[in-house]
Amino acid sequence: MSSARSPFGMLKTAFDAVFRQDVALRRGPGGVRVVLKGRDGALEAPPTPEDLERRRREDELLQAREELTRLLDEEHTSRATMRHLAVVEHTLGRVGWQALERVPLDVLQRALQQLEERVSNWSARGLACLRSRMAVAVAERLRREGQPSGDAAAALDSPPQAARKAIDEARVRAAAPEAGGDDAEQALRAAYGSLIDPSRPGA
């Protein structure tokens, strides 16, 4: 018998640690599956297709949000000039992909237009995914809801007093970047969020 300190013993120990693991059978809705047991004896089921799809959607959302935020952060006035796209950014952070159902359709249409006008290189996977999802959502909602009146998009073109004040503050801060613009940016995002009706279906 080889000792634990011999080369063969250490190799056997490493092999056992990596490859030897108890297995068990578990019966579920999809039939019988082989599952692994951890060192404490607890069953470790492999991820289901539903788990994998949920993780994929979560990863796509995170990447899309991060890349959209970086895009809007490139210039201090981006959220003031691309208000509709800023609404989408804000709502994605609040409700995830449900934002594409919750944001008023005409605002979503204008946001998609702003995104396509701003981005020329779609190699960024998050932005490409966002563009694709927005386009699909617009097409599906147009089929369900018909052409929107445009009132919500017009409200952002001429925002209410709270949003206008936040936008003006952001522009002033942008003119003097040494003063810092974080507070104005947060106020601007909050004002955009207040334009979304929380009682809208799909929340």
Side-chain angles (χ1 to χ4, degrees):
M1 181 180 297
S2 59
S3 69
R5 290 185 173 275
S6 70
F8 291 107
M10 289 188 290
L11 180 62
K12 180 178 182 299
T13 300
F15 181 90
D16 290 344
V18 175
F19 296 105
R20 181 170 294 174
Q21 196 167 18
D22 292 335
V23 297
L25 298 178
R26 171 178 286 177
R27 186 180 300 276
V32 177
R33 293 184 298 155
V34 175
V35 296
L36 302 177
K37 285 185 177 180
R39 293 185 176 180
D40 58 358
L43 296 181
E44 300 175 3
T48 64
E50 292 78 11
D51 293 334
L52 295 175
E53 175 63 17
R54 184 179 66 255
R55 292 175 190 173
R56 184 186 67 81
R57 287 174 59 87
E58 290 172 351
D59 290 344
E60 285 182 347
L61 174 63
L62 179 61
Q63 189 171 14
R65 284 178 55 197
E66 289 179 346
E67 291 180 7
L68 178 57
T69 296
R70 283 199 297 269
L71 178 71
L72 293 175
D73 282 345
E74 288 177 358
E75 297 179 10
H76 288 287
T77 58
S78 290
R79 290 181 180 84
T81 57
M82 295 189 290
R83 304 167 193 167
H84 307 77
L85 190 56
V87 167
V88 171
E89 178 205 23
H90 179 90
T91 315
L92 281 171
R94 289 178 55 196
V95 298
W97 289 124
Q98 274 294 314
L100 305 187
E101 290 292 327
R102 185 165 178 176
V103 168
L105 177 54
D106 52 342
V107 173
L108 188 63
Q109 288 175 305
R110 191 77 65 83
L112 177 58
Q113 180 183 359
Q114 291 170 349
L115 179 64
E116 291 178 335
E117 290 174 351
R118 180 64 179 270
V119 179
S120 57
N121 182 356
W122 296 99
S123 60
R125 294 178 59 185
L127 290 178
C129 173
L130 177 61
R131 177 196 189 191
S132 175
R133 283 182 174 272
M134 289 174 68
V136 169
V138 165
E140 291 181 348
R141 291 180 61 184
L142 279 172
R143 186 172 62 251
R144 293 196 315 261
E145 304 170 21
Q147 192 66 36
S149 66
D151 292 343
L156 277 177
D157 289 330
S158 300
Q161 184 176 359
R164 184 183 298 279
K165 180 180 178 182
I167 290 170
D168 290 343
E169 288 177 355
R171 287 174 171 163
V172 170
R173 295 294 184 91
E178 66 277 3
D182 291 345
D183 293 341
E185 289 290 349
Q186 292 300 323
L188 185 58
R189 293 189 193 194
Y192 286 142
S194 70
L195 299 177
I196 304 300
D197 181 3
S199 64
R200 182 179 176 84

